[in-house]
C-alpha cells in the first residue's frame, strides 16, 4: 500500500478498548471507516466503529475474513499472537509493522534493542530461574525491580526488591514466567513523548508530558512537563531515533525517566498511549488523528500544543464523579462507554485546560 487511502476506505483495528474507540472516532472525522476485531463482548470501540468482528486471535477463518474486508490493519495493544499477525499480513499491510511489535512484546528484546541504538536504559539482566535472579541481584545491585518479560502492563507482573530476603517472594510473583531484573532508576520525574512517523518517513512529536503514576497505573499527565530546553530536545530526538530505526508508521509512545545524568528510556509502546490523551484538547490534531493519518498514508497533521493541559484518568469508581466533572469549566470529559465498573479499570479521563500560559 503506497497511495493514501481514499475517503470511505476501512482501517482494521485489532482490539476494541478505549484506544480503538478513540481511533475510530478520529477515523470517522476524516471520512474513513473502522472495523474492530475483538474477542470480548461489547467492546467500547464497537459503539462507534463501522463494523465489529467478535472472534478470538486463533480463529484463522475470522482473521482472514477481517483482513479481506479492510485496506490496512493497525492495533491498540501490543500483545497480539504472532500467528494471528501472520494470517493478516499475507492479505493486508499491518501498520506499525511487525518489527515494532517484535521489539516491544518482550522487555528483554526491547531493552537490548534500545541499548544497541545507543540509548540509555536501566541496567538489566535476563532472569530465567531463582538462581539467575540471585546472580542478577549480585551483578545489578539493590534496589531493583523484577518484571515479567511479556504481558506486563499497568505495573502488573512486577516485584520490587530492596533486600536479598525479597528474592524468593519476587520470583514467586513471576509465576515461573521468564523475567528481567532492572536496576532501580533514581528519577526526578517521569515523562513521555508521543511521536508519529508517516509512511513517507516524516516525523512529528507532541510536546513531552509529565506523568504521575499511582499504584502502578497512570494517574495524570501534565503539559508542559517541567523540563529544560535541552531535556525537551533530547526527549524528542530519542523518540525520533526509535521511529526511524524501526522504519515505523504510526504513533509511538516513549516513556522516559528524567535523571540528573540525563534521560533514561523506560519503555516504548507501538500505539497511541494513555499519556497522549491530553492532545485531544491541547492540539489541533490529536494523537488518534495523527495515528490514523499515518497508517492511512496521509500527511501528518499539526500537533503544536496551544494550551496547557492536565489529563486525569477516571479509574474504577472515579467515574461516579462524571456528573460533577461535566459541570467544570475548561474541562473536557471523555468517557469510554464501559458499563461495568471494576477496581483499576480505566473508565474515562478528563482534560483540564489552562489557557493562560500556553506557548
Ligand atoms: P513499567 O510497567 O515498566 O512502565 O513500570 C511502571 C512504573 O514503575 C514506571 O512508570 C515507574 O514509575 C516504575 N518503574 C519501572 N521500572 C523502573 C525502574 N527501573 N526504576 C525505577 N522505577 C521504575
Amino acid at each position: 500500500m503506497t497511495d493514501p487511502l481514499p475517503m470511505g476506505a476501512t482501517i482494521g483495528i485489532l482490539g476494541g478498548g478505549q484506544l480503538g474507540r478513540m481511533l475510530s472516532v478520529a477515523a470517522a472525522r476524516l471520512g474513513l471507516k473502522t472495523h474492530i476485531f475483538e474477542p470480548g463482548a461489547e467492546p467500547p470501540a464497537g459503539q462507534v466503529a463501522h463494523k465489529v468482528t467478535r472472534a478470538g486471535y486463533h480463529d484463522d477463518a475470522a482473521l482472514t475474513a477481517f483482513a479481506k474486508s479492510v485496506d490496512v490493519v493497525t492495533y491498540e495493544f501490543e500483545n497480539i499472537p504472532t500467528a494471528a499477525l501472520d494470517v493478516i499480513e499475507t492479505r493486508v499491510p499491518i501498520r506499525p509493522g511487525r518489527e515494532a511489535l517484535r521489539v516491544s512484546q518482550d522487555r528483554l528484546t526491547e531493552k537490548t534493542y534500545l541499548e544497541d541504538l545507543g540509548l540509555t536504559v536501566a541496567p538489566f539482566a535476563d532472569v530465567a530461574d531463582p538462581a539467575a535472579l540471585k546472580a542478577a541481584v549480585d551483578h545489578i545491585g539493590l534496589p531493583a525491580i523484577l518484571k515479567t518479560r511479556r504481558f506486563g502492563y499497568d505495573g502488573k507482573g512486577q516485584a520490587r526488591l530492596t533486600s536479598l530476603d525479597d528474592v524468593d517472594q519476587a520470583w514467586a510473583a513471576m509465576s515461573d514466567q521468564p523475567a528481567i531484573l532492572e536496576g532501580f532508576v533514581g528519577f526526578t520525574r517521569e515523562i513521555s513523548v508521543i511521536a508519529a512517523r508517516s509512511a513517507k518517513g516524516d516525523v512529528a512529536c507532541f510536546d513531552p508530558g509529565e506523568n504521575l503514576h499511582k499504584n502502578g497505573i497512570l494517574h495524570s499527565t501534565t503539559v508542559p512537563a517541567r523540563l529544560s530546553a535541552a531535556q525537551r530536545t533530547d526527549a524528542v530526538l530519542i523518540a525520533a531515533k526509535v521511529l526511524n530505526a524501526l522504519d515505523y508508521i504510526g504513533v509511538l509512545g516513549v516513556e522516559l525517566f528524567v535523571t540528573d545524568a540525563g534521560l533514561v528510556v523506560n519503555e516504548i509502546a507501538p500505539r497511541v498511549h494513555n499519556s497522549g490523551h491530553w492532545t485531544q484538547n491541547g492540539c489541533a490534531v490529536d494523537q488518534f488523528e495523527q495515528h490514523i493519518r499515518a497508517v492511512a498514508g496521509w500527511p501528518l497533521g499539526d500537533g503544536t500544543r496551544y494550551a496547557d493541559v492536565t489529563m486525569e484518568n477516571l479509574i474504577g469508581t472515579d467515574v461516579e464523579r462524571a456528573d460533577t466533572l461535566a459541570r467544570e469549566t475548561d474541562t473536557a470529559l471523555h468517557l469510554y462507554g464501559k458499563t461495568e465498573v471494576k477496581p483499576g479499570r480505566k473508565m474515562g479521563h478528563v482534560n483540564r485546560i489552562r489557557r493562560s500560559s500556553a506557548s
Side-chain angles (χ1 to χ4, degrees):
M1 192 187 106
T2 47
D3 293 335
L5 289 184
M7 272 184 277
T10 303
I11 297 176
I13 302 179
L14 299 170
Q18 63 268 17
L19 300 179
R21 176 185 176 98
M22 294 183 273
L23 285 168
S24 294
V25 171
R29 276 198 283 108
L30 297 178
L32 297 163
K33 295 175 186 154
T34 56
H35 181 167
I36 303 294
F37 190 99
E38 162 66 48
E42 297 179 15
Q47 297 167 12
V48 299
H50 185 69
K51 199 169 171 196
V52 182
T53 293
R54 184 179 176 194
Y57 289 107
H58 300 290
D59 184 340
D60 285 3
L63 287 167
T64 303
F66 168 74
K68 278 186 182 164
S69 76
V70 300
D71 298 286
V72 64
V73 166
T74 188
Y75 43 88
E76 60 142 32
F77 73 114
E78 47 273 40
N79 292 316
I80 306 153
T82 305
L85 298 166
D86 290 340
V87 172
I88 292 168
E89 202 169 37
T90 55
R91 289 174 180 86
V92 70
I94 299 173
R95 289 177 166 177
R98 297 288 293 272
E99 180 68 349
L101 282 168
R102 186 188 69 80
V103 168
S104 60
Q105 279 181 342
D106 181 324
R107 289 188 192 273
L108 183 66
T109 313
E110 179 179 280
K111 284 264 183 319
T112 309
Y113 185 87
L114 294 169
E115 197 172 54
D116 289 349
L117 281 182
L119 303 175
T120 308
V121 295
F124 64 95
D126 186 9
V127 172
D129 53 43
L133 177 54
K134 289 201 179 80
V137 169
D138 279 349
H139 176 60
I140 287 175
L142 294 170
I145 305 187
L146 188 65
K147 303 178 180 179
T148 52
R149 280 174 57 174
R150 294 174 64 92
F151 305 119
Y153 68 96
D154 285 348
K156 292 190 173 69
Q158 299 193 7
R160 294 193 179 203
L161 294 94
T162 48
S163 87
L164 278 174
D165 296 340
D166 297 332
V167 164
D168 291 339
Q169 208 179 348
W171 176 251
M174 300 298 108
S175 309
D176 274 329
Q177 297 171 82
I180 174 175
L181 186 74
E182 288 183 26
F184 195 83
V185 177
F187 55 81
T188 49
R189 49 190 59 112
E190 292 186 74
I191 62 163
S192 54
V193 179
I194 307 301
R197 189 167 176 275
S198 75
K200 290 214 166 101
D202 295 326
V203 168
C205 295
F206 292 100
D207 205 10
E210 184 168 331
N211 300 326
L212 190 66
H213 291 85
K214 285 190 184 168
N215 305 320
I217 304 180
L218 183 70
H219 169 72
S220 63
T221 303
T222 297
V223 281
R226 288 169 295 168
L227 294 172
S228 66
Q231 287 169 325
R232 202 170 294 271
T233 306
D234 281 352
V236 164
L237 289 177
I238 288 170
K241 192 168 200 174
V242 178
L243 285 174
N244 287 329
L246 290 169
D247 195 16
Y248 196 89
I249 302 176
V251 162
L252 174 86
V254 182
E255 293 184 39
L256 302 154
F257 298 131
V258 181
T259 75
D260 294 341
L263 299 177
V264 176
V265 186
N266 176 27
E267 63 180 5
I268 58 172
R271 53 173 168 77
V272 285
H273 197 258
N274 193 170
S275 67
H277 292 358
W278 68 267
T279 59
Q280 292 172 306
N281 301 99
C283 306
V285 171
D286 66 25
Q287 64 162 346
F288 301 100
E289 177 173 339
Q290 202 71 302
H291 186 75
I292 293 293
R293 282 171 173 254
V295 301
W298 290 27
L300 297 179
D302 178 7
T304 309
R305 184 175 62 79
Y306 61 72
D308 295 2
V309 185
T310 294
M311 185 285 308
E312 189 185 317
N313 272 330
L314 301 177
I315 295 169
T317 53
D318 288 349
V319 73
E320 290 165 8
R321 290 193 280 126
D323 254 13
T324 315
L325 294 167
R327 281 170 234 273
E328 275 186 21
T329 51
D330 283 345
T331 296
L333 181 60
H334 299 259
L335 299 177
Y336 306 152
K338 297 179 183 175
T339 43
E340 200 187 342
V341 179
K342 288 189 211 158
R345 191 175 198 203
K346 291 176 179 167
M347 304 298 293
H349 65 273
V350 282
N351 284 329
R352 293 198 175 87
I353 300 154
R354 302 185 309 280
R355 298 164 193 270
S356 49
S357 61
S359 54

